[in-house]
Amino acid sequence: MKRILVAAGLLAFAAAGALAEPATETSAPSSFMLDNGLQVVVVPDHRAPVVTHMVWYKVGAVDEAPGKSGIAHLFEHVMFKETRNIGPEEFTSIVQRSGGQLNAFTSWDYTAYFERVHKDQLGKMMELEAERMVNLIINDDPEGPFISERDVVKEERRQRLDNNPAALLQEMVLTEFWKGHPYEITVIGLMDEVNALTPQDGLDFYREYYSPENAILVVAGDVTEEGVRALAEQHYGPLQPTGEAHDQRKWQPVAPLAETKLITHSDPKVRQPVWSRYYLGTSFNRDPERALALEVGLEVLGGGLTSRLYQTLVEEQKVAINVATFAWTTLHDEGPAVIYGTPVDGVSLEDLDAAVMAEIEKILAEGFTEDEVRRARNKLAATAIYQTDSQSAMANHYGANLALGFTLEEIASYPDEVRAVTPDEALAAVRAVFGADQNYITSHLLPAEGDL
Amino acid sequence: MLKLRLISGAAAAVFLAACATPAPPPEAAPEASLDAEAETPAALALDVSVYDGDFVDIQEFTTPGGVSVWLVSEPSIPIVSVQMAWRGGSVADPEGLEGLGQAVVYGMNEGAGDLDSLGFQTAMEDLNMSFGCSNGSEWTSCSATMLSDNAAASMALVASALTAPRYDPGPFERFVREQEVSLKTRETSAGYLAWRAQSQALYPDHPFAREVSAQSLAALTPELARAHKDALMTKDRLLVTAVGAISPEDLAPLIDAAIADLPETSDVPAATPVTLPEIAAAEPVVVPLPQPQSLVRFIGPAMDRSNPDFFPAFVLNYTFGGGGFESRLVKTLRVDKGLTYGISSSIDPDPNFNVWSGGGQTKNESAGEFITGIRDEMQKFIEGGVTEAELSDAKAYLIGSYPLGFDSNAKIAGNIMSVRQDELGIDYFDRRNALIDAVTLEDVNAAAAKYLAPDRFSFFVVGEPEGLSAE
């Protein structure tokens, strides 16, 4: 998830011919607060009679108690089960019967629930989300719905991680990378800990974090601020804060890596070795200027087919099938900056490591050209324009950034900020991250012994 | 609903050169003018018929160069996307040259005219546009997305690719290297292994079962790719759709310039229908793969759109496995039993591949229970059909959610191209909901009895399922 932001007030297109509809001035996103502390954000998009309705809670896997990994995500599943006024499994039935699509997702930093419906159904969606914000019921039958949902989540973990050697290796690396930080366990949780979660854990989590003052409502689509305000006052306005919920987040700065390490994972399913290095990067929350410069710098260094590393290692030297760099800059706390590559047959991971690092050293000594930095900036800025085509992407984008604590103004200023990054700034950011004095984790994904 | 009008507009420049001077980047200069370098402006007159639909208004016209175009104008965001599709995909790969169509499309954005691979990719970045082509089993498609400010320069780059793709040795060898990696990695991909087991068991001699091999890859050359590109991308089989901030008058010359040098026609073998057995093997086919879960896939014969059973079956599939949280497969196997994170089913409307298929993943220990559970659900549909409430819920979702497929340029572009490819008619979007609404309980239950018998479905399992043995 790139933090790409959108300029308010899109270009109106002066169309030739009587056919074109008059260009409607797209109104900028706006925000207001209900008396109970619920923040409401409206992102107008009048192209189709459709809305995306999202509720973002300021809680995620980062906030889990020790030994309770996976509760934020399992609880998100349980939110679909039953409430005081909605029968078991009826939540999804009502939404889909209304012609709606729905789902939810959990990250380290936030949890979001969404419905996409015809605009006529917006009030009903608010009624449903308001109901489960305060009236959730968790069935405590030891063989009941909480337990079968826990089994579902275990299957989800197998499907996302345990089936996939590359995902398992990444889990090991990130655990080492964030050692001692709440991000050190992956969002879905450790199998043994998930398996021990109880209905009471779910209830405790609900009481501690779910309340209107700890949520952000995002409505994107064919709506006006006034229309959303009236519906939100009607459906969310009456909700009383529980008085128990809090927003004391467990975020903390990520400590530099104490040592340089190699983590290897071999599996009979691996047919193609992969090499990576993980360095301590930064984040937009912790250091926005540096994060922006790093994004631009990594785009030049290893952002795609035209990047320096790709051109040298894949096209000229032909030692790699692919090579790229990217950074996790959109978590609240610092994430890794990653260099990875796939060697051609006959080139070992050690050889690839040496070739890539020699090239990086050379590039960082020589510097970037004005031209390639301009292209990288433009690419990142243009992504913001292309993103306006997707209503759900826009809703996600605003919701995630607001849940992380950014303001609408900060979100809107991104394209201008990215265009202001200088070659010197981009270079300095990359040099600082990959400096010879920095520790890093190397990861090797390898076939099982004897399979080569 | 159909209005005709005649437009006489100003001339638009036709860019024939292969983007020798890339348009200046947005931050450095104003937009590229559409009228730049126009030599002798000729008034462009287009007959545009407008289909005024409930979900989209489609402008239909034929360019001066003879190309039929469907355009949906969307002025509110400064983006244009253009889609092209030609009937004929990987089934047109000659015997022994499997992967040739893939080589053709790989090379389409890897250099053209005066620009080598890096030059072409850099020109795309300078224009903030994207362009790429794909080769499915029955269609070859190209897609270009650009900012309306420099649509002319962006389409000029597309024109150079369609007119003079280079197929330089460097990118071609890179394509081969990437394919060699795919040949290795597919051997432990559960999805691929399930597909291969299915195609070998059910239609081993059909072109749909053919695949790239080390031998076919070794036989490919840039010269073969260049020649095959001329066979795949001809004027007579081309469909064009566009969505975005552009008028028919501005778009038409850009399309004409892009396709000017394509061959008029070629001889490409058409796909023939796959016929699945009406009675499937009783035992699942098991493919061993060391992982904690088993991937389970089922597939049986269905019907194409021309069959009166199609819409009843389509509505039935929502309740069976297509309706997400509301399908019986999910309610039983996920919600009640906790056996899987997801299970779904779908009907493929392709007249050459009419199948009803689906599946999901479950831990190896419960693979047998999972398969039994799927078959039990099928049996319940045959014996008891669906309820009035289920039918009404299915219709409410299928009809009520339809506008959600038209809220972005990208979705509209995909939808109008599908309608053109499947020859459903320009009014299809407006007829579709009535077709669903007309389905009766009797229709649905008759379709269930006819198509959902468990013995019609072949099962394929990839993993280390307990209690099921590998063949």
Side-chain angles (χ1 to χ4, degrees):
Chain A
M1 192 186 66
K2 282 258 192 273
R3 179 173 175 266
I4 297 297
L5 302 135
V6 172
L10 294 164
L11 313 182
F13 175 72
L19 256 192
E21 295 171 29
T24 46
E25 186 65 34
T26 303
S27 10
S30 59
S31 168
F32 55 89
M33 194 76 83
L34 299 186
D35 291 344
N36 58 15
L38 178 72
Q39 185 184 359
V40 184
V41 178
V42 183
V43 184
D45 171 9
H46 303 294
R47 291 175 297 160
V50 168
V51 294
T52 301
H53 172 251
M54 304 190 87
V55 180
W56 294 73
Y57 290 93
K58 299 178 201 175
V59 62
V62 73
D63 302 297
E64 291 162 343
K68 302 289 182 188
S69 70
I71 186 62
H73 168 253
L74 173 56
F75 176 79
E76 171 236 298
H77 280 233
V78 172
M79 276 281 274
F80 289 83
K81 289 286 171 199
E82 186 181 1
T83 74
R84 197 175 304 163
N85 298 298
I86 303 172
E89 306 303 327
E90 273 294 301
F91 192 96
T92 55
S93 306
I94 297 166
V95 174
Q96 293 193 195
R97 200 176 290 142
S98 312
Q101 298 166 347
L102 73 164
N103 214 324
F105 52 88
T106 310
S107 143
W108 281 289
D109 296 325
Y110 43 71
T111 311
Y113 302 81
F114 68 89
E115 296 83 27
R116 291 185 18 82
V117 286
H118 190 279
K119 65 178 178 181
D120 294 350
Q121 302 293 325
L122 178 58
K124 180 178 280 275
M125 297 307 112
M126 288 193 183
E127 189 185 338
L128 292 168
E129 285 293 358
E131 166 71 12
R132 68 176 169 181
M133 191 177 281
V134 294
N135 285 334
L136 187 72
I137 290 173
I138 300 184
N139 185 314
D140 60 3
D141 176 348
E143 292 177 1
F146 183 94
I147 307 305
S148 58
E149 203 59 40
R150 199 175 66 189
D151 287 341
V152 169
V153 168
K154 285 157 66 182
E155 292 293 352
E156 184 180 356
R157 188 192 146 97
R158 290 183 187 106
Q159 192 165 322
R160 288 184 191 279
L161 293 172
D162 302 344
N163 280 350
N164 182 342
L168 283 177
L169 174 58
Q170 180 177 273
E171 185 184 23
M172 291 181 226
V173 171
L174 293 176
T175 297
E176 183 64 32
F177 178 87
W178 279 311
K179 202 193 297 184
H181 185 280
Y183 289 167
E184 72 183 325
I185 298 177
T186 191
V187 172
I188 205 164
L190 302 174
M191 191 68 98
D192 290 348
E193 292 188 5
V194 170
N195 197 42
L197 294 171
T198 65
Q200 188 60 49
D201 291 328
L203 211 53
D204 294 345
F205 193 81
Y206 186 54
R207 287 200 185 112
E208 190 172 0
Y209 293 106
Y210 280 68
S211 188
E213 74 280 19
N214 212 21
I216 301 168
L217 173 69
V218 176
V219 182
D222 195 7
V223 289
T224 61
E225 185 183 328
E226 305 81 83
V228 171
R229 187 189 294 271
L231 285 172
E233 292 282 5
Q234 179 189 341
H235 295 289
Y236 292 100
L239 302 184
Q240 291 305 305
T242 60
E244 296 176 60
H246 67 83
D247 63 351
Q248 300 306 304
R249 308 301 305 274
K250 295 184 183 168
W251 289 319
Q252 52 179 269
V254 174
L257 288 161
E259 54 183 333
T260 287
K261 272 202 166 171
L262 168 66
I263 297 179
T264 297
H265 180 56
S266 301
D267 189 284
K269 279 182 71 179
V270 176
R271 287 290 186 272
Q272 172 65 51
V274 181
W275 162 89
S276 310
R277 275 198 193 195
Y278 290 70
Y279 287 81
L280 178 62
T282 185
S283 74
F284 278 93
N285 278 84
R286 293 288 176 192
D287 193 341
E289 289 77 19
R290 204 164 145 247
L292 206 55
L294 183 64
E295 289 285 358
V296 173
L298 292 179
E299 189 66 43
V300 173
L301 189 65
L305 209 138
T306 61
S307 72
R308 291 287 199 94
L309 290 177
Y310 193 94
Q311 284 299 314
T312 306
L313 294 144
V314 178
E315 295 289 73
E316 290 165 29
Q317 298 177 8
K318 296 187 172 59
V319 294
I321 296 288
N322 67 22
V323 60
T325 56
F326 66 93
W328 300 42
T329 53
T330 56
L331 294 173
H332 184 280
D333 294 338
E334 295 89 343
V338 184
I339 313 161
Y340 76 95
T342 307
V344 299
D345 270 354
V347 171
S348 70
L349 296 186
E350 291 77 10
D351 292 346
L352 183 62
D353 181 298
V356 173
M357 296 319 293
E359 192 56 30
I360 288 181
E361 197 177 332
K362 187 163 147 259
I363 296 164
L364 295 186
E366 286 172 3
F368 297 153
T369 69
E370 181 71 51
D371 211 38
E372 62 192 350
V373 172
R374 175 183 52 75
R375 267 205 308 279
R377 289 191 304 239
N378 276 345
K379 195 194 268 189
L380 295 174
T383 307
I385 299 175
Y386 284 118
Q387 184 178 252
T388 60
D389 189 36
S390 168
Q391 185 184 106
S392 27
M394 293 293 279
N396 269 321
H397 180 63
Y398 276 89
N401 282 296
L402 289 155
L404 287 165
F406 292 103
T407 64
L408 287 181
E409 293 69 33
E410 286 169 329
I411 296 172
S413 66
Y414 175 85
D416 291 339
E417 285 173 11
V418 80
R419 286 202 180 94
V421 173
T422 67
D424 286 350
E425 288 167 341
L427 187 64
V430 177
R431 275 181 180 158
V433 166
F434 298 139
D437 56 334
Q438 299 294 307
N439 286 319
Y440 55 89
I441 299 166
T442 305
S443 80
H444 286 182
L445 182 67
L446 292 166
E449 290 298 315
D451 272 11
L452 267 178
Chain B
M1 290 196 109
L2 213 56
K3 301 185 292 238
L4 273 175
R5 63 184 192 120
L6 189 70
I7 298 178
S8 302
V14 176
F15 286 69
L16 290 170
C19 206
T21 49
E27 75 176 18
E31 66 212 47
S33 163
L34 290 184
D35 291 327
E37 299 175 47
E39 287 181 17
T40 46
L44 175 63
L46 282 179
D47 275 341
V48 181
S49 60
V50 182
Y51 179 76
D52 180 4
D54 295 340
F55 300 96
V56 281
D57 295 347
I58 302 171
Q59 300 169 80
E60 193 180 9
F61 58 93
T62 300
T63 67
V67 185
S68 154
V69 178
W70 288 15
L71 166 68
V72 174
S73 283
E74 176 48 70
S76 66
I77 56 174
I79 298 171
V80 177
S81 77
V82 177
Q83 316 279 331
M84 300 176 177
W86 294 264
R87 190 180 293 280
S90 59
V91 290
D93 288 348
E95 289 280 351
L97 294 177
E98 290 77 14
L100 186 55
Q102 293 294 339
V104 169
V105 296
Y106 187 94
M108 286 300 288
N109 57 15
E110 291 283 354
D114 297 337
L115 299 171
D116 65 4
S117 168
L118 179 59
F120 193 94
Q121 295 283 334
T122 304
M124 287 206 292
E125 286 187 1
D126 276 329
L127 291 161
N128 291 126
M129 69 168 296
S130 61
F131 166 69
C133 305
S134 62
N135 180 249
S137 58
E138 296 176 74
W139 290 89
T140 299
S141 308
C142 293
S143 170
T145 305
M146 63 209 78
L147 301 176
S148 44
D149 274 356
N150 54 30
S154 299
M155 282 302 291
L157 196 59
V158 172
S160 72
L162 287 168
T163 303
R166 286 167 57 141
Y167 294 104
D168 286 339
F172 191 86
E173 286 157 16
R174 169 154 44 84
F175 161 76
V176 172
R177 288 197 297 274
E178 289 179 13
Q179 287 289 312
E180 285 167 345
V181 171
S182 298
L183 290 181
K184 288 192 295 183
T185 56
R186 74 186 188 185
E187 294 303 322
T188 57
S189 154
Y192 167 78
L193 292 171
W195 172 84
R196 188 166 67 187
Q198 162 194 308
S199 57
Q200 291 310 311
L202 300 176
Y203 45 93
D205 301 324
H206 191 278
F208 287 163
R210 290 165 58 205
E211 51 178 335
V212 182
S213 67
Q215 293 80 358
S216 74
L217 196 56
L220 303 181
T221 65
E223 292 68 33
L224 286 167
R226 202 174 289 116
H228 195 56
K229 183 258 172 196
D230 285 339
L232 288 174
M233 299 180 182
T234 57
K235 287 183 186 174
D236 64 333
R237 285 196 313 278
L238 170 63
L239 299 174
V240 178
T241 64
V243 181
I246 194 161
S247 67
E249 297 68 36
D250 287 340
L251 180 62
L254 304 180
I255 301 280
D256 278 348
I259 60 103
D261 286 352
L262 296 184
E264 292 296 329
T265 183
S266 72
D267 199 14
V268 167
T272 54
V274 164
T275 309
L276 295 189
E278 291 293 317
I279 299 294
E283 291 304 312
V285 174
V286 177
V287 183
L289 184 66
Q291 59 176 33
Q293 274 185 327
S294 291
L295 180 148
V296 174
R297 179 169 164 76
F298 57 87
I299 179 169
M303 71 312 288
D304 72 14
R305 288 177 184 278
S306 64
N307 187 315
D309 295 336
F310 181 81
F311 272 96
F314 178 75
V315 173
L316 168 64
N317 184 62
Y318 178 86
T319 308
F320 173 52
F325 297 112
E326 291 302 284
S327 73
R328 287 199 202 169
L329 287 178
V330 169
K331 285 181 178 186
T332 303
L333 296 165
R334 171 176 155 146
V335 177
D336 295 347
K337 299 181 190 280
L339 288 176
T340 185
Y341 175 52
I343 179 166
S344 65
S345 68
S346 63
I347 300 170
D348 193 331
D350 178 353
N352 295 313
F353 198 64
N354 280 165
V355 301
W356 204 327
S357 66
Q361 299 182 64
T362 189
K363 59 187 180 297
N364 286 320
E365 296 84 341
S366 49
E369 188 187 350
F370 194 63
I371 292 170
T372 304
I374 295 169
R375 286 187 165 141
D376 286 350
E377 289 306 311
M378 291 172 174
Q379 192 60 38
K380 282 183 200 151
F381 276 101
I382 293 172
E383 289 168 7
V386 307
T387 65
E388 277 288 3
E390 283 175 320
L391 176 61
S392 133
D393 279 357
K395 287 185 185 181
Y397 174 82
L398 293 170
I399 293 170
S401 66
Y402 201 50
L404 303 179
F406 297 89
D407 70 344
S408 77
N409 291 11
K411 290 182 199 171
I412 291 168
N415 281 333
I416 60 176
M417 182 54 91
S418 294
V419 163
R420 295 208 74 178
Q421 290 175 319
D422 297 342
E423 297 172 349
L424 301 176
I426 202 161
D427 61 345
Y428 174 77
F429 300 135
D430 297 324
R431 290 188 295 110
R432 178 256 191 202
N433 284 344
L435 293 167
I436 287 170
D437 205 30
V439 171
T440 67
L441 192 64
E442 199 177 13
D443 295 336
V444 171
N445 290 343
K450 192 165 166 183
Y451 294 99
L452 281 187
D455 65 3
R456 291 167 58 84
F457 289 86
S458 306
F459 280 77
F460 300 89
V461 186
V462 182
E464 294 176 321
E466 287 188 11
L468 302 169
S469 53
E471 309 235 318

